[in-house]
């Protein structure tokens, strides 16, 4: 459950901005590594409200095609009786400007949990499409498999709107709201929201995000300690991109 779409949008931003003639082309290959006070995905904690280590690799071709991988430590699968302690995301797609100021981004995202041993499997494949105009991105993702281990949940969907406002001096403000629909399981459907303030120190980004949901406290309770995994919390993170 890769962090909300803002990560991918930021990683791909170089694709739609051509280099000036007197400047070298940007390196299409980038790396990132970081840590968070807890790993939230679509508002739900993946680490039982505990810290996580994360990292990824992205390749953005000047043509608009991109591929990448991203990984994070997790706890929820082991808590559910499985064996995976890491999430690995594999994604690829195409991003292009379809009209002046309007950018289209389409692709596939595979969430992979090695040896997760859950039935149904937690492994999930989604297809997504996003439109960006100015600072605002609207995105829809739909699963082509069961969604994160929910039985009979193929074709579940997630719609979200995220904005990224440049405050100057390396600071950004990112409000976000999304709604997860779990097919044939209305009790597991919910809305999430967040507000993130980040400061970029020459590639080292410090962030703080208030994240919450209106998810069911029963459907999203930890099987280990019964705590609600969608409670409103402040999540801090540190990430280095190079």
């Amino acid at each position: 459950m890769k962090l909300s779409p803002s990560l991918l949008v930021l990683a791909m931003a170089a694709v739609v901005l051509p280099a000036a003639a007197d400047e070298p082309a940007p390196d299409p290959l980038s790396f990132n590594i970081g840590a968070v006070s807890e790993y939230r995905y679509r508002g739900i904690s993946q680490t039982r409200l505990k810290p996580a280590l994360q990292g990824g690799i992205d390749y953005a071709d000047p043509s608009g095609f991109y591929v990448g991988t991203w990984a994070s430590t997790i706890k929820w699968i082991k808590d559910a009786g499985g064996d995976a302690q890491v999430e690995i995301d594999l994604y690829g797609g195409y991003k292009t400007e379809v009209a002046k100021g309007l950018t289209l981004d389409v692709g596939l995202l595979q969430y992979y949990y090695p040896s997760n041993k859950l039935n149904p499997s937690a492994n999930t494949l989604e297809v997504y499409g996003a439109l960006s105009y100015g600072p605002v991105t609207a995105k829809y993702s739909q699963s082509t498999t069961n969604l994160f281990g929910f039985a009979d949940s193929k074709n579940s969907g997630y719609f979200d709107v995220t904005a990224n406002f440049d405050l100057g001096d390396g600071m950004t403000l990112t409000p976000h709201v999304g709604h997860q629909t779990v097919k044939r399981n209305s009790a597991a459907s919910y809305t999430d929201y967040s507000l993130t303030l980040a400061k970029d120190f020459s590639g080292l980004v410090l962030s703080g995000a208030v994240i919450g949901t209106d998810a069911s406290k029963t459907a999203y309770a930890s099987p280990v300690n019964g705590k609600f995994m969608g409670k409103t919390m402040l999540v801090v993170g540190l990430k280095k991109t190079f």
Side-chain angles (χ1 to χ4, degrees), residues 160-234:
D160 70 283
V161 178
T162 302
N164 196 316
F165 297 107
D166 185 351
L167 303 181
D169 197 29
M171 297 187 69
T172 56
L173 184 67
T174 306
H176 159 90
V177 63
H179 183 75
Q180 177 71 70
T181 300
V182 182
K183 207 76 169 179
R184 287 170 282 277
N185 192 340
S186 59
S189 300
Y190 66 92
T191 297
D192 72 283
Y193 46 86
S194 66
L195 182 64
T196 303
L197 181 65
K199 168 70 173 178
D200 188 340
F201 297 92
S202 301
L204 182 66
V205 178
L206 176 65
S207 64
V210 176
I211 303 174
T213 74
D214 68 353
S216 164
K217 294 183 179 180
T218 301
Y220 292 97
S222 167
V224 172
N225 56 25
K227 290 184 177 180
F228 178 40
M229 295 295 100
K231 66 187 295 186
T232 301
M233 294 278 286
L234 172 64

Side-chain angles (χ1 to χ4, degrees), residues 77-95:
I77 291 203
K78 195 165 186 178
D79 291 351
D83 197 35
Q85 299 185 59
V86 66
E87 170 193 331
I88 301 172
D89 299 343
L90 304 168
Y91 48 89
Y94 178 70
K95 187 173 184 179

Side-chain angles (χ1 to χ4, degrees), residues 32-39 47 50-56 70-75 85-87 238:
N32 65 84
I33 188 169
V36 287
S37 58
E38 67 166 296
Y39 170 26
T47 51
K50 301 295 184 180
L53 297 175
Q54 302 173 335
W70 183 88
S72 177
T73 56
I74 59 170
K75 292 184 181 295
Q85 299 185 59
V86 66
E87 170 193 331
L238 188 64

Side-chain angles (χ1 to χ4, degrees), residues 1 46 74-87 111-124 146-152 223:
M1 291 173 263
Q46 310 300 300
I74 59 170
K75 292 184 181 295
W76 73 272
I77 291 203
K78 195 165 186 178
D79 291 351
D83 197 35
Q85 299 185 59
V86 66
E87 170 193 331
Y111 305 86
Y112 178 60
Y113 305 91
S115 304
N116 70 87
K117 297 182 181 178
L118 297 183
N119 186 22
S121 172
N123 294 338
T124 300
N146 283 326
L147 182 76
F148 306 129
F150 286 106
D152 198 24

